[in-house]
Amino acid sequence: MVKILVAGFKGRMGNTTTKMVLENADFELTGVYDPNASEKNLNELSDFKNEDVPAYTKLADIDVNSIDVWIDFTSPASVYENAKFALLHDISPVIGTTGLADDQVAELKEIAKKNKVGGLIAPNFGISAVLLMQFAQQAAKYFPDVEIIEMHHDKKLDAPSGTALNTAKLISEVRKQKIQGNPEEKESLIGARGADYEGMRIHSVRLPGYVAHEQVLFGGQGEALTIRQDSFDRISFMSGVAVAAKKIGDYDELLVGLENLL
Ligand SMILES: NC(=O)C1=CN([C@@H]2O[C@H](COP(=O)(O)OP(=O)(O)OC[C@H]3O[C@@H](n4cnc5c(N)ncnc54)[C@H](OP(=O)(O)O)[C@@H]3O)[C@@H](O)[C@H]2O)C=CC1
Ligand SMILES: O=C(O)C1=N[C@H](C(=O)O)C[C@H](O)C1
């Protein structure tokens, strides 16, 4: 039985994850965490009125011995501190929260290595997104001209999305260095050409009604390739989160990308 704490339990992903953990016979929910919560127990929330689980609001109060895995769906501003706390207390972090800077990831990897604790940072737990990233990396070997469009709900804090950024990173590992578009092009409205990642453009759309979607567009001589994935419901992330929570205890380093566990 894997003992799990869910950080960010009142949020969109945290709520879905808390339900998944409670419904999975391989897991025991031993805590939830949110420094802004007024609740002391999960059973104070109407969705969970029959569940007796401590709700922590201070890191120092957390019963670290009762937790194997820390699942984090919080905010870009808090994920680093949470992940570091987990690693330093021999708890394996499974991080879905996006927005960690490269130097923060490097520091967390060092801490995990030093303490011999396994952990995972997954920019996206959806299998459709994991496959999209792999297919896009494969296609970029043949199509160096590429633009990424990510589309999300309008409550999202970070842009571009973690998935789009990771897609661009994976593509840049294989793509011939190139600045795209007309070298003489001028934006008459700032931002019209999107963000620039090593000469590739990333466009972020935020609209109510959307959940999480990404398109990678490749253009070649007289042809084009479009790869698209859609998460229509947050349930799409749950099988990936469950796989990570089950397997991460077998590792002693911090991995990036769900594909490492599949
Ligand atoms: N990897 C993946 O597959 C996916 C990743 N995500 C990522 O997960 C993150 C959360 O997304 P979403 O659920 O939509 O966001 P929400 O804003 O709905 O939820 C975040 C929750 O975390 C709480 N919170 C804030 N600070 C802390 C903290 N220090 N510790 C614990 N909880 C905290 C927030 O409380 P309050 O509102 O009071 O601040 C809020 O309830 C985002 O970074 C998003 O990009 C989302 C979907 C899939
Ligand atoms: O905020 C979200 O919703 C999502 N965030 C992740 C990201 O930034 O890529 C994963 C997914 O796209 C949903």
Side-chain angles (χ1 to χ4, degrees):
M1 187 80 97
V2 184
K3 291 178 272 173
I4 295 179
L5 175 139
V6 176
F9 70 104
K10 294 176 77 176
R12 287 174 287 273
M13 284 299 290
N15 177 281
T16 310
T17 304
T18 300
K19 287 178 180 156
M20 180 279 286
V21 171
L22 287 167
E23 283 162 13
N24 193 313
D26 296 329
F27 299 148
E28 182 187 358
L29 187 68
T30 50
V32 292
Y33 172 61
D34 179 347
N36 306 316
S38 53
E39 296 79 10
K40 295 279 168 243
N41 194 294
L42 185 63
N43 61 19
E44 292 169 50
L45 296 180
S46 57
D47 272 5
F48 303 106
K49 54 181 187 298
N50 299 319
E51 308 294 343
D52 179 17
V53 177
Y56 299 106
T57 53
K58 289 198 187 87
L59 288 175
D61 292 344
I62 294 175
D63 177 8
V64 291
N65 296 318
S66 71
I67 302 157
D68 302 317
V69 171
W70 175 294
I71 302 181
D72 199 286
F73 285 108
T74 59
S75 74
S78 46
V79 55
Y80 172 76
E81 194 193 353
N82 288 354
K84 187 171 171 182
F85 176 87
L87 288 169
L88 290 174
H89 290 88
D90 201 22
I91 299 170
S92 290
V94 167
I95 306 292
T97 313
T98 46
L100 274 169
D102 288 346
D103 59 329
Q104 292 179 319
V105 174
E107 271 181 54
L108 293 171
K109 279 186 169 182
E110 269 307 302
I111 299 170
K113 196 170 160 191
K114 203 168 147 201
N115 292 274
K116 296 191 172 51
V117 186
L120 177 74
I121 298 171
N124 201 308
F125 283 103
I127 188 70
S128 61
V130 171
L131 290 172
L132 168 138
M133 287 186 266
Q134 292 183 338
F135 295 158
Q137 191 183 41
Q138 206 179 337
K141 287 182 197 156
Y142 309 98
F143 289 101
D145 288 271
V146 49
E147 305 220 358
I148 298 170
I149 307 174
E150 54 95 343
M151 296 150 276
H152 280 83
H153 58 93
D154 61 351
K155 301 288 183 287
K156 186 162 177 60
L157 289 174
D158 54 322
S161 70
T163 311
L165 211 45
N166 201 55
T167 308
K169 278 184 192 162
L170 291 172
I171 288 175
S172 72
E173 286 172 13
V174 300
R175 171 180 174 266
K176 256 186 270 150
Q177 190 65 31
K178 150 156 218 196
I179 307 291
Q180 289 175 205
N182 189 329
E184 304 297 320
E185 79 182 5
K186 295 255 176 317
E187 288 180 332
S188 54
L189 271 183
I190 290 172
R193 290 286 291 118
D196 185 329
Y197 186 93
E198 297 191 2
M200 271 176 271
R201 297 293 174 161
I202 307 180
H203 310 268
S204 295
V205 175
R206 297 290 176 266
L207 284 171
Y210 279 53
V211 177
H213 319 261
E214 184 170 309
Q215 276 187 189
V216 186
L217 286 73
F218 296 93
Q221 295 294 311
E223 60 181 337
L225 171 67
T226 302
I227 307 175
R228 178 175 175 127
Q229 71 78 216
D230 297 274
S231 274
F232 298 111
D233 191 300
R234 291 182 176 82
I235 197 76
S236 60
F237 305 114
M238 289 303 116
S239 55
V241 177
V243 166
K246 263 178 222 170
K247 292 192 176 175
I248 202 59
D250 300 338
Y251 292 79
D252 59 4
E253 61 178 322
L254 184 65
L255 306 166
V256 178
L258 181 67
E259 59 278 14
N260 290 293
L261 299 187
L262 298 177

